[in-house]
Amino acid sequence: QVKVVESGGGLVQAGGSLRLSCTASGLTLGGYTMAWFRQTPGKEREGVSCISRRLGSTYYADSVKGRFTISRDHAKNTLYLQMNSLKPEDTAMYYCAADLALSEYDVCRGARRLMYWGQGTQVTVSS
């Protein structure tokens, strides 16, 4: 049985940094295209960043480019999202997802029903 778990969220002041982690039992993250999504009440879920399973190609939403970095540690079977220069508009529940799609763009921007999701970790950025 696959279980995806996010951690690392919290309360931070604007301009600060957080690093989110995503671990998965029952699957090897390197064999999946991995994604970070975020959602706030009343808004559509947004694909923040994705990394493809074969080439490690990355996608970033325009709103986070230059501030967020997605990475994988294969030895630890862990996905990360380093978030710097945080803004109040980054406040959201952040979710980790895994899918067998080859394209990071398809996962982050497509309409695919992704295979596995975590329960989310809350990020709150105060002004």
Side-chain angles (χ1 to χ4, degrees):
Q1 187 173 356
V2 174
K3 186 175 182 181
V4 177
V5 179
E6 304 93 338
S7 62
L11 174 63
V12 64
Q13 287 190 329
S17 298
L18 283 174
R19 188 177 77 161
L20 304 184
S21 299
C22 171
T23 59
S25 57
L27 66 82
T28 301
L29 294 186
Y32 290 77
T33 293
M34 299 300 300
W36 288 101
F37 284 81
R38 66 186 180 187
Q39 190 168 24
T40 54
K43 290 189 176 181
E44 287 192 5
R45 187 175 59 200
E46 176 187 21
V48 175
S49 183
C50 291
I51 184 167
S52 69
R53 63 185 178 99
R54 283 192 182 174
L55 300 179
S57 305
T58 56
Y59 165 90
Y60 295 95
D62 287 343
S63 56
V64 306
K65 278 181 184 175
R67 301 188 297 121
F68 290 12
T69 303
I70 191 171
S71 63
R72 278 185 302 218
D73 185 327
H74 293 286
K76 295 183 178 180
N77 202 35
T78 300
L79 178 76
Y80 300 102
L81 184 68
Q82 178 67 44
M83 305 187 295
N84 299 328
S85 302
L86 282 161
K87 304 175 181 180
E89 51 264 43
D90 295 318
T91 295
M93 184 71 78
Y94 283 72
Y95 298 91
C96 176
D99 194 79
L100 286 173
L102 290 176
S103 165
E104 70 280 8
Y105 189 87
D106 286 347
V107 170
C108 262
R109 295 296 304 273
R112 292 179 64 86
R113 187 185 177 107
L114 303 184
M115 295 178 66
Y116 303 109
W117 288 88
Q119 294 299 305
T121 185
Q122 177 68 37
V123 171
T124 303
V125 184
S126 63
S127 57

